[in-house]
């Protein structure tokens, strides 16, 4: 399917342009001046044609990618199920274990029999139950909603409970390598410390603010909200506090003072909620180098998020709002 | 060892625990010191896995609904074992809680005009389940956690595993726990203790529950001599995913999903003609197992599990995306099945512990003579008030957790009791407890504790499932007793102090074994079929002899059983038809 992505002209240009250049070179060396001009004309025309078709290709390519994305996911589902349906197989699970007393790492390889359903978490717990009970694992819901089991699997930060072994063993070279999230303080094996992460979250005051606290705790009436208003903050409310985005963020890893993608996205979540009455003060609270301006927009946080929260976009949107409110901000600072 | 003194200890951090802590703090005007102690990070409790929604009559006038009707549905659903005074409190309090959760940020799905949307649920006459897509519990937990951060007098203790509830002379004085992170023991002394540690469905192998649902608080209370009520009633959720047991919300059927057998027929027509797929859970679970037993199920080759199909294809992908996004995410990630094009393989799984710590309607835990233990409350799934009786209706649990969370939190916040135990004797209790736990670490047997767990799972899955029979229950009783003796010969491989989840899991297995035994003992004695407890030899409900609650106490190494009457108000027991 991929071979039909570009038109024939593009492929022709890949061969044609260097070939014509070679011919011109040969003509120059050999002294055939009339041929040099001829080849040069042909080259210019060829380049014109190729660049036009190339542009068309790029356009087609984009369209192609968009429409194929869904079909691709579906075919992946189908093609992955069939060969695995019948049999499982033994997989090497390599765990980079951290020893909390000696502060050393120890790479241990376990053999584990996985079938088509087995997740990395299943394997770790299976190993713990029947091979090596000293292996430390933090987990709870095993359905991707409690946020306990973030770790680095084959170099990528992911949730162990949502990562199917056979699937990544197939696509990532037959082995499973697990290490803790190195961006957090390490406790034992794959388990990391979360105090710092929770403090970052708390520091943006992530709770629904109402001017009248009494009314907030009264229970006589709901605050009405339209579906459109709901959609404005809903995508940012899926955060399960697993810590993967913070682990993936290159800025936090080099400058711990940057508050990080998780906390900022949660600040934005409440800022966008029509029920929240803190208004733009929320923006001004993160208007600093430790806040939104620390973000260098690498986008790794959004890529790492297992729940589709997009902290990178949230932060850029906050930057945008802040720029358009510079005057108000001075006002706010004065009052403060 | 460190002695930590607080006014109130809240043990457990699900919706019940967090709500209790917030309301206790508020009621005390921020003056009482409150310790929130959890074996997990507090925002990761099993409540996050609640999917479908929370029940409550929000708009009686326009929806033609009433609290009376909600009460009737709940009582009928409970097979008349619910205490009707408690149900009245539930239905009255539930609408307020839904609004409260709106005020702290839960993204409720909305109707035209901005009102809160409600969906149909099993056994409810009218759609009255408020929901935030199919992640309702998760959103409620996040809102509660974020709200809790604004309370300075609540101190959070993450990853502390409590091993002992200190009850002396009918007064509760705190808990002894160890810090999982570093293995250090901590003595939490307090005048008031609220237990909110959730259910115990992990005594089953095939369950919808998180790994944490090991009934720790219930088992601790049981060992402290407190009564457990109605432990024979375990809810099996009809639709759990094969082979993991991951929950597929009842909302999938509430939104119009079908259950189909291997003939492709909607078999519920033979079991609950009027309610079909939206009959209460006990009835739907029995229907599924009956179909499977009659050879009209499917078999999964890898796990050997038999199942039926949940068909959502006719709902269309846009409805699934809006109302059931998590179900879609889950089936695609776990099984690589898309509910808009594929049928989902499901079977009943242990889901909810209807029984629990015996409390009065104020959540106060009761001793053997039915009197409150001073300074001790139980809230949420670990408690049995009782609202759910023999069978809980879907979406009544989130209302229960929030209504009683507020009720108990408010009472505890207002109330005052000093810890009566002197520092020295409290420390002595704590040091003895530490010693006994260290002995567990030093066990030098040759039995792998996880094999004991696996055996317990097999026993419970086989003999204590949807259909029970006397012979099977007797086998379960004997086998569990054998496992209990085997516990003496276990070893704990991890002897370190840092993040020793091996030790924690061994202690959890011990808790579960205690509760599994109680479950079997209560079940063997109840010679009738009521709600989720169905015995083949006694297929009918027997109100004449069994319209009563079971109480179980620990007496030496034995389970002692007693009975108390059900509180009937206006709703007389009648035949339960759907």
């Amino acid at each position: 399917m991929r071979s039909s992505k570009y038109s024939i002209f593009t492929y022709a240009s890949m061969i044609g342009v260097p070939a014509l250049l070679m011919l011109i070179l040969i003509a120059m060396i050999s002294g055939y001046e009339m041929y040099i001009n001829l080849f040069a004309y042909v080259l210019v025309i060829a380049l014109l044609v190729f660049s036009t078709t190339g542009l068309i290709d790029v356009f087609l390519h984009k369209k192609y990618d968009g429409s194929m994305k869904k079909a691709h996911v579906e075919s992946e589902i189908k093609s992955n199920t069939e060969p695995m349906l019948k049999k499982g197989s033994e997989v090497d699970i390599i765990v980079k274990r951290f020893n909390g007393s000696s502060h050393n790492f120890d790479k241990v390889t376990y053999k584990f029999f996985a079938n088509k359903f087995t997740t990395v978490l299943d394997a770790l717990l299976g190993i713990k139950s029947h091979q090596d009970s000293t292996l430390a694992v933090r987990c709870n819901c095993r359905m991707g909603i409690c946020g306990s089991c973030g770790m680095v699997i084959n170099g990528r930060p992911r949730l162990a409970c949502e990562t199917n072994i056979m699937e990544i063993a197939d696509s990532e070279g037959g082995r499973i390598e697990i290490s803790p999230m190195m961006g957090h303080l390490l406790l034992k094996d794959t388990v990391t410390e979360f105090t710092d992460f929770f403090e970052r979250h708390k520091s943006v005051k992530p709770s629904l603010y109402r001017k009248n606290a009494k009314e907030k705790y009264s229970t006589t009436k709901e605050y009405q909200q339209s579906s459109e208003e709901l959609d404005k903050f809903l995508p940012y409310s899926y955060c399960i506090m697993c810590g993967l985005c913070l682990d993936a963020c290159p800025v936090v890893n080099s400058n711990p003072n940057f508050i990080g993608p998780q906390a900022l996205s949660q600040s934005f979540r409440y800022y966008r909620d029509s029920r929240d009455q803190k208004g733009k003060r929320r923006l001004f609270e993160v208007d600093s180098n430790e806040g939104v301006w620390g973000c260098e927009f690498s986008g790794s946080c959004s890529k790492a998020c297992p729940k589709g929260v997009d902290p990178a976009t949230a932060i850029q949107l906050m930057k945008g709002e802040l720029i358009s409110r510079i005057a108000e901000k001075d006002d706010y600072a004065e009052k403060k | 060892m460190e002695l930590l003194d607080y006014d109130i200890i809240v043990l457990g951090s699900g919706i019940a625990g967090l709500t209790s802590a917030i309301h206790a703090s508020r009621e005390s005007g921020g003056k009482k010191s409150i310790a929130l102690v959890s074996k997990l990070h507090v925002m990761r409790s099993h409540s996050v896995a609640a999917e479908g929604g929370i029940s409550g009559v929000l708009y009686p006038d326009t929806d033609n609904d009433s609290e009376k009707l909600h009460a009737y549905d709940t009582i009928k659903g409970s097979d008349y074992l619910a205490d009707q005074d408690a149900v009245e409190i539930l239905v009255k309090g539930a609408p307020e809680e839904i609004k409260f959760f709106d005020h702290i940020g839960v993204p409720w799905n909305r109707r035209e005009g901005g009102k809160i949307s409600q969906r149909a649920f099993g056994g409810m006459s009218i759609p009255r389940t408020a929901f935030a897509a199919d992640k309702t519990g998760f959103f409620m937990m996040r809102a509660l956690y974020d709200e809790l951060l604004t309370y300075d007098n609540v101190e959070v203790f993450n990853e502390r595993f409590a091993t002992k509830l200190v009850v002396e002379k009918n007064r509760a004085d705190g808990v002894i726990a160890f810090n999982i992170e570093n293995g250090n023991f901590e003595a939490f002394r307090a005048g008031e203790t609220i237990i909110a540690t959730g259910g115990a469905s992990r005594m089953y192998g095939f369950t919808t529950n998180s790994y944490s649902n090991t009934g720790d608080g219930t088992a601790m209370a049981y060992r402290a001599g407190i009564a457990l009520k109605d432990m024979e009633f375990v809810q099996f959720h009809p639709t759990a995913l094969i082979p993991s047991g991951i929950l597929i919300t009842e909302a999938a059927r509430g939104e119009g999903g079908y259950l189909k057998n291997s003939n492709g027929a909607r078999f519920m027509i033979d079991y609950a003609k009027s309610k079909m797929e939206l009959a209460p859970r006990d009835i739907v679970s029995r229907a599924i197992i009956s179909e499977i037993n009659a050879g009209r199920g499917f078999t999964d080759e890898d796990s050997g599990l038999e199942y039926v199909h949940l068909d959502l294809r006719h709902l269309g992908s846009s409805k699934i995306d809006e109302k059931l996004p998590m179900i879609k995410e889950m089936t695609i990630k776990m099984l690589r099945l898309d509910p808009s094009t594929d049928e989902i393989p499901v079977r009943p799984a242990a889901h909810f512990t209807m029984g629990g710590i015996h409390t009065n309607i104020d959540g106060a835990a009761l001793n053997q003579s039915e009197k409150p233990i001073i300074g001790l409350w139980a809230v949420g799934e670990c408690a049995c008030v009782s609202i759910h009786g023999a069978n809980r209706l879907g979406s009544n649990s989130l209302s229960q957790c929030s209504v009683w969370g507020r009720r108990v939190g408010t009472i505890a916040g207002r109330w005052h009791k000093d810890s009566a135990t002197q520092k020295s004797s409290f420390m002595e209790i704590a040091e003895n407890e530490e010693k006994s736990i260290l002995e567990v670490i030093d066990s030098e047997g040759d039995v792998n504790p996880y094999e004991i767990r696996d055996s317990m799972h097999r026993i419970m899955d086989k003999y204590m499932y949807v259909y029970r029979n006397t012979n099977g229950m007797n086998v379960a009783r004997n086998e569990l007793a054998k496992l209990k003796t085997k516990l003496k010969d276990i070893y704990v491989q991890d002897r370190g102090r840092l993040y020793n989840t091996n030790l924690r899991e061994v202690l959890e297995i011990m808790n579960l074994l205690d509760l599994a035994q109680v479950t079997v003992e209560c079940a063997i004695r109840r010679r009738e079929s009521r709600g989720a407890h169905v015995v083949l030899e006694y297929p009918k409900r027997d109100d004449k002899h069994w319209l009563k609650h079971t109480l179980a106490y620990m007496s030496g190494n034995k389970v002692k059983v007693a009975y108390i009457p059900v509180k009937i108000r206006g709703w007389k027991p009648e035949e339960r038809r759907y």
Side-chain angles (χ1 to χ4, degrees):
Chain A
M1 259 198 224
R2 279 190 183 262
S3 59
S4 66
K5 212 155 58 178
Y6 306 108
S7 72
I8 182 96
F9 295 108
T10 308
Y11 293 107
S13 70
M14 287 177 195
I15 306 159
V17 172
L20 281 164
L21 282 170
M22 279 293 284
L23 283 173
I24 294 172
L25 205 69
I26 292 166
M28 279 170 78
I29 295 165
S30 323
Y32 295 112
E33 278 183 26
M34 57 183 265
Y35 288 111
I36 296 175
N37 283 338
L38 181 66
F39 288 140
Y41 283 128
V42 177
L43 181 68
V44 169
I45 291 163
L47 278 174
L48 270 174
V49 172
F50 298 151
S51 58
T52 322
T53 54
L55 274 175
I56 292 168
D57 272 355
V58 169
F59 179 69
L60 282 176
H61 182 180
K62 253 200 171 154
K63 239 177 125 184
Y64 163 93
D65 236 3
S67 69
M68 282 311 289
K69 222 174 186 171
K70 265 189 193 153
H72 182 63
V73 171
E74 272 157 27
S75 73
E76 196 180 71
I77 293 174
K78 293 261 146 55
S79 67
N80 268 339
T81 330
E82 279 149 24
M84 282 193 265
L85 254 173
K86 291 274 179 285
K87 52 174 196 315
S89 66
E90 199 173 69
V91 186
D92 279 351
I93 312 271
I94 304 154
V95 186
K96 194 170 175 187
R97 298 187 61 175
F98 177 72
N99 183 323
S101 327
S102 69
H103 290 257
N104 285 330
F105 285 102
D106 194 7
K107 254 192 191 182
V108 184
T109 303
Y110 301 98
K111 300 231 177 268
F112 190 81
F113 190 87
N115 68 24
K116 65 173 189 270
F117 297 126
T118 312
T119 63
V120 169
L121 180 64
D122 292 335
L124 290 173
L125 293 177
I127 290 164
K128 186 175 176 62
S129 299
H130 299 292
Q131 295 182 36
D132 183 353
S133 303
T134 66
L135 186 66
V137 186
R138 182 190 276 133
C139 66
N140 193 28
C141 74
R142 55 83 168 92
M143 52 193 275
I145 193 75
C146 79
S148 300
C149 63
M151 53 189 77
V152 179
I153 302 165
N154 285 0
R156 270 180 54 195
R158 334 185 208 209
L159 293 179
C161 71
E162 284 193 346
T163 308
N164 181 294
I165 292 223
M166 297 301 248
E167 193 185 312
I168 61 168
D170 275 358
S171 62
E172 294 169 20
R175 36 191 255 154
I176 312 287
E177 268 202 65
I178 298 165
S179 67
M181 294 188 284
M182 300 293 185
H184 299 241
L185 280 175
L186 307 182
L187 278 176
K188 186 184 173 196
D189 300 338
T190 60
V191 180
T192 57
E193 161 69 34
F194 265 76
T195 311
D196 169 67
F197 177 82
F198 296 150
E199 284 304 318
R200 288 167 190 273
H201 175 75
K202 189 179 175 181
S203 73
V204 298
K205 304 196 178 90
S207 58
L208 200 115
Y209 176 82
R210 298 293 290 189
K211 288 175 184 144
N212 182 343
K214 221 176 191 170
E215 167 251 31
K216 180 177 174 182
Y217 271 80
S218 77
T219 51
T220 44
K221 249 187 136 116
E222 78 274 30
Y223 306 142
Q224 303 212 336
Q225 186 167 58
S226 68
S227 297
E228 292 73 37
E229 286 167 328
L230 173 66
D231 288 342
K232 277 194 157 176
F233 73 94
L234 191 62
Y236 303 99
S237 66
Y238 292 126
C239 170
I240 58 173
M241 301 185 72
C242 62
L244 291 174
C245 62
L246 195 76
D247 194 58
C249 175
V251 183
V252 174
N253 278 298
S254 54
N255 167 24
N257 290 332
F258 173 50
I259 194 167
Q262 189 274 341
L264 290 171
S265 74
Q266 294 313 290
S267 171
F268 188 62
R269 175 247 175 274
Y270 283 103
Y271 173 68
R272 276 280 186 102
D273 192 330
S274 61
R275 297 168 294 183
D276 188 79
Q277 293 182 329
K278 206 171 201 180
K280 49 199 182 243
R281 270 193 291 152
R282 271 201 201 276
L283 291 175
F284 300 146
E285 279 169 7
V286 293
D287 181 17
S288 61
N289 286 337
E290 290 75 40
V292 288
W293 302 107
C295 169
E296 289 165 18
F297 202 16
S298 79
S300 352
C301 51
S302 300
K303 223 172 150 185
C305 179
K307 297 290 117 182
V309 181
D310 187 351
T313 300
I315 297 169
Q316 307 329 305
L317 287 171
M318 287 167 104
K319 287 179 184 170
E321 296 237 357
L322 277 168
I323 289 170
S324 66
R325 287 175 193 277
I326 286 176
E328 293 173 48
K329 190 202 146 193
D330 291 341
D331 229 31
Y332 169 76
E334 258 171 47
K335 268 186 206 158
K336 215 178 167 188
Chain B
M1 190 183 321
E2 206 178 343
L3 176 73
L4 299 153
D5 267 322
Y6 285 90
D7 291 319
I8 303 175
I9 290 170
V10 179
L11 188 62
S13 56
I15 289 172
L18 295 181
T19 314
S20 306
I22 285 175
H23 287 293
S25 168
R26 231 187 126 64
E27 187 63 27
S28 75
K31 290 199 183 88
K32 284 198 170 180
S33 60
I34 300 170
L36 179 62
V37 181
S38 174
K39 69 171 174 178
L40 307 160
H41 289 149
V42 295
M43 76 298 292
R44 312 205 193 284
S45 290
H46 176 64
S47 296
V48 294
E51 295 174 3
I54 171 170
S55 63
V57 179
L58 283 179
Y59 312 108
D61 302 335
T62 50
D63 291 358
N64 209 6
D65 198 0
S66 71
E67 285 168 13
K68 267 217 156 104
L69 191 56
H70 186 188
Y72 170 71
D73 288 343
T74 302
I75 291 161
K76 184 180 174 191
S78 80
D79 223 349
Y80 293 91
L81 195 68
D83 281 339
Q84 299 185 359
D85 54 346
V87 173
E88 282 171 351
I89 292 170
L90 176 84
V91 298
K92 193 165 181 307
E96 298 177 357
E97 296 310 323
I98 298 172
K99 290 169 200 159
F100 170 65
F101 277 101
D102 177 57
H103 292 191
I104 61 171
V106 170
W108 298 119
N109 279 47
R110 301 281 172 164
R111 313 178 187 200
E112 287 287 326
K115 284 182 173 177
I116 295 168
S117 202
Q118 285 173 293
R119 63 166 43 132
F121 244 68
M124 301 278 187
S125 317
I126 283 174
R128 64 164 76 92
T129 300
F131 61 100
D134 53 358
K135 294 188 173 185
T136 312
F138 163 74
F139 284 125
M140 287 169 72
M141 280 291 288
R142 270 305 310 274
L144 282 172
Y145 176 70
D146 284 351
E147 188 63 22
L148 183 78
L149 295 175
T150 64
Y151 288 88
D152 294 332
N153 61 329
V154 181
E155 202 171 329
V156 172
F157 292 87
N158 286 312
E159 302 197 312
R160 262 53 170 207
F161 188 76
T163 59
K164 188 180 175 67
L165 179 68
V166 181
V167 178
E168 298 273 297
K169 295 181 193 135
N170 203 45
R171 306 168 69 104
D173 281 327
V175 294
I176 317 298
F178 70 85
N179 184 344
I180 298 168
E181 203 174 289
N182 57 25
N184 293 341
F185 270 74
E186 289 158 342
F188 288 92
R189 188 170 65 154
E192 305 166 49
T193 305
I194 300 172
I195 306 177
T197 49
S201 289
R202 275 279 156 188
M203 66 174 77
Y204 288 83
F206 191 64
T207 171
T208 61
N209 282 196
S210 300
Y211 287 105
S212 64
N213 284 22
T214 52
D216 308 316
T218 318
M220 263 187 283
Y222 173 66
R223 284 195 295 262
I226 296 159
L228 305 186
K229 184 161 61 186
D230 293 341
M231 286 297 286
E232 63 270 43
F233 298 102
V234 176
Q235 177 161 79
F236 297 92
H237 194 290
T239 58
L241 215 54
I242 297 287
S244 57
I246 286 173
L247 175 69
I248 300 296
T249 172
E250 187 164 306
R253 285 169 284 136
E255 297 294 344
Y258 299 148
L259 286 169
K260 289 179 174 174
N261 60 19
S262 58
N263 299 332
R266 283 179 71 189
F267 55 84
M268 281 311 297
I269 195 150
D270 299 329
Y271 302 89
K273 215 183 271 172
S274 68
K275 282 261 157 194
M276 293 296 283
E277 280 85 355
L278 284 179
R281 290 173 177 173
D282 56 334
I283 293 173
V284 181
S285 287
R286 276 197 291 280
I288 293 174
I289 296 301
S290 299
E291 287 299 300
I292 289 173
N293 289 347
R296 292 189 289 271
F298 305 86
T299 308
D300 171 50
E301 284 182 30
D302 290 275
S303 59
L305 289 170
E306 291 176 297
Y307 60 90
V308 295
H309 277 155
L310 174 65
D311 190 352
L312 306 180
R313 293 174 298 179
H314 55 285
L315 302 183
S317 56
S318 67
K319 187 168 185 178
I320 292 174
D321 287 344
E322 191 203 334
K323 303 276 180 67
L324 305 165
M326 178 146 122
I327 295 311
K328 182 174 178 177
E329 188 186 337
M330 208 73 65
T331 50
I332 290 182
K333 279 185 178 161
M334 300 295 171
L335 298 182
R336 316 202 66 69
L337 295 175
D338 182 341
S340 58
T341 53
D342 305 297
E343 291 167 294
I344 307 168
V346 292
R347 78 181 259 120
H351 181 62
F352 188 86
T353 312
M354 258 89 68
I357 299 168
H358 178 33
T359 73
N360 65 17
I361 52 168
D362 289 330
L366 302 178
N367 65 17
Q368 307 199 3
S369 42
E370 297 279 305
K371 295 274 178 310
I373 289 161
I374 298 162
L376 186 65
W377 289 269
V379 208
E381 194 177 341
C382 70
C384 182
V385 178
S386 120
I387 312 142
H388 311 307
N391 174 64
R392 171 170 76 78
L393 289 190
S395 74
N396 268 354
S397 58
L398 295 186
S399 351
Q400 177 205 358
C401 290
S402 18
V403 169
W404 266 271
R406 177 189 292 264
R407 197 175 175 86
V408 167
T410 308
I411 294 171
R414 197 182 300 152
W415 215 66
H416 182 76
K417 165 184 164 283
D418 283 322
S419 182
T421 317
Q422 292 298 314
K423 186 181 172 187
S424 57
S425 59
F426 196 81
M427 288 310 280
E428 197 184 313
I429 295 169
E431 272 153 23
N432 284 337
E433 180 62 15
E434 180 177 16
K435 230 180 266 167
S436 73
I437 300 297
L438 292 179
E439 273 169 27
V440 174
I441 300 187
D442 290 336
S443 318
E444 300 218 349
D446 54 1
V447 176
N448 178 354
Y450 296 98
E451 269 156 27
I452 293 185
R453 178 198 64 190
D454 296 349
S455 304
M456 172 178 68
H457 286 168
R458 276 192 294 273
I459 294 164
M460 298 303 283
D461 283 347
K462 188 166 178 193
Y463 302 111
M464 300 302 293
Y465 193 44
V466 173
Y467 285 109
R468 299 166 175 179
N469 67 68
T470 311
N471 264 346
M473 289 192 283
N474 278 322
V475 175
R477 170 195 267 167
N478 296 337
E479 293 292 315
L480 289 175
K482 275 186 216 160
L483 291 182
K484 197 78 175 275
T485 14
K486 264 194 179 174
L487 263 186
K488 295 188 187 86
D489 300 321
I490 57 159
Y491 60 86
V492 180
Q493 197 185 347
D494 191 345
R495 300 196 166 187
R497 293 182 75 81
L498 298 179
Y499 216 84
N500 188 341
T501 43
N502 188 196
L503 172 65
R504 193 196 74 201
E505 284 163 6
V506 167
L507 297 171
E508 288 171 344
I509 293 166
M510 290 172 169
N511 287 339
L512 285 171
L513 252 184
D514 276 347
L515 297 181
Q517 283 190 310
V518 175
T519 304
V520 173
E521 291 302 327
C522 296
I524 285 181
R525 285 172 174 78
R526 186 173 280 272
R527 296 183 173 178
E528 64 157 352
S529 291
R530 183 186 295 272
H533 173 72
V534 167
V535 187
L536 292 177
E537 290 91 334
Y538 310 102
K540 286 240 160 8
R541 193 176 84 196
D542 177 1
D543 287 335
K544 201 172 153 205
H545 299 102
W546 290 103
L547 187 59
K548 54 190 180 186
H549 297 294
T550 313
L551 294 184
Y553 309 97
M554 188 161 103
S555 161
N557 269 333
K558 290 238 159 67
V559 184
K560 201 174 91 189
V561 172
Y563 295 94
I564 55 167
V566 176
K567 286 177 202 139
I568 308 279
R569 288 265 183 112
W571 294 275
K572 295 273 170 290
E574 53 184 47
E575 204 191 335
R576 191 163 161 250
R577 268 179 213 223
Y578 289 97

